[in-house]
């Protein structure tokens, strides 16, 4: 089925990762709390995302074909799990908030401001989209890279 082998998943995940890197580079200029901890946290996220972007590009570029399959799949699965763990509960939280079951989400207060409500929806949706794209890129690469001799 072409949907599950499409290279577009990788390009979508790459776009998501680039946006993530850019947003965290911008955040480096506006530290909150302890500046050292904030900077280290953002630099680690930027480095992980840049590594993820390189791996996602490797799934669709010919120069990466000689690389061992595990070298590409290990970080893809790791990143997919991270984004699913962050994105899926976030989407459940969105549904709780939008339906009014729990306006503050899982742990939030019932009296959150409208700005906090919309910011939470945007951030949770953003991570859910990232999870969908990276899982799609991972599954697509797995299906495209299966050795017919196995």
């Amino acid at each position: 089925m072409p949907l599950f082998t499409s290279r577009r998943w990788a390009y979508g995940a790459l776009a998501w990762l680039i946006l993530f890197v850019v947003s965290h580079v911008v955040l480096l200029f506006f530290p909150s709390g302890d500046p050292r901890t904030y900077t280290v946290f953002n630099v680690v996220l930027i480095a992980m995302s840049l590594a993820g972007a390189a791996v996602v590009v490797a799934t669709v570029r010919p120069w990466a074909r000689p690389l061992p399959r595990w070298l590409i799949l290990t970080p893809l699965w790791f990143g997919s799990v991270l984004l699913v763990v962050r994105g899926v509960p976030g989407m459940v939280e969105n549904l709780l908030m939008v339906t009014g079951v729990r306006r503050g989400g899982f742990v939030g207060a019932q009296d959150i401001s409208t700005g906090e409500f919309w910011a939470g929806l945007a951030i949770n949706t953003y991570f859910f989209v990232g999870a969908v794209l990276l899982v799609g890129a991972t599954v697509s690469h797995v299906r495209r890279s299966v050795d017919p001799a196995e």
Side-chain angles (χ1 to χ4, degrees):
M1 182 174 276
L3 174 66
F4 296 113
T5 57
S6 175
R7 296 173 188 266
R8 290 181 181 180
W9 290 106
Y11 294 118
L14 177 63
W16 188 91
L17 285 161
I18 289 170
L19 183 59
F20 189 81
V21 166
V22 168
S23 68
H24 282 274
V25 167
V26 169
L27 286 175
L28 284 174
F29 296 104
F30 304 100
S32 65
D34 176 28
R36 183 178 296 161
T37 303
Y38 187 82
T39 300
V40 169
F41 175 74
N42 279 294
V43 168
V44 168
L45 288 177
I46 290 166
M48 286 175 58
S49 299
L50 287 173
V55 170
V56 167
V57 168
T59 68
V60 293
R61 303 307 305 158
W63 55 260
R65 285 191 194 121
L67 296 174
R69 191 169 184 244
W70 67 266
L71 191 62
I72 303 294
L73 286 176
T74 301
L76 279 176
W77 283 115
F78 181 76
S80 293
V81 167
L82 280 177
L83 282 176
V84 164
V85 166
R86 172 59 179 93
V88 172
M91 187 52 67
V92 170
E93 183 174 57
N94 283 353
L95 293 173
L96 290 174
M97 289 172 20
V98 168
T99 59
V101 171
R102 180 130 175 91
R103 182 163 160 76
F106 289 128
V107 295
Q110 290 293 329
D111 59 349
I112 64 171
S113 71
T114 302
E116 290 169 328
F117 176 79
W118 287 109
L121 284 172
I123 290 168
N124 289 334
T125 301
Y126 176 72
F127 279 102
F128 181 77
V129 168
V132 169
L133 290 170
L134 193 57
V135 168
T138 302
V139 170
S140 172
H141 178 67
V142 166
R143 292 188 180 213
R144 284 184 285 110
S145 67
V146 171
D147 185 3
E150 290 182 22

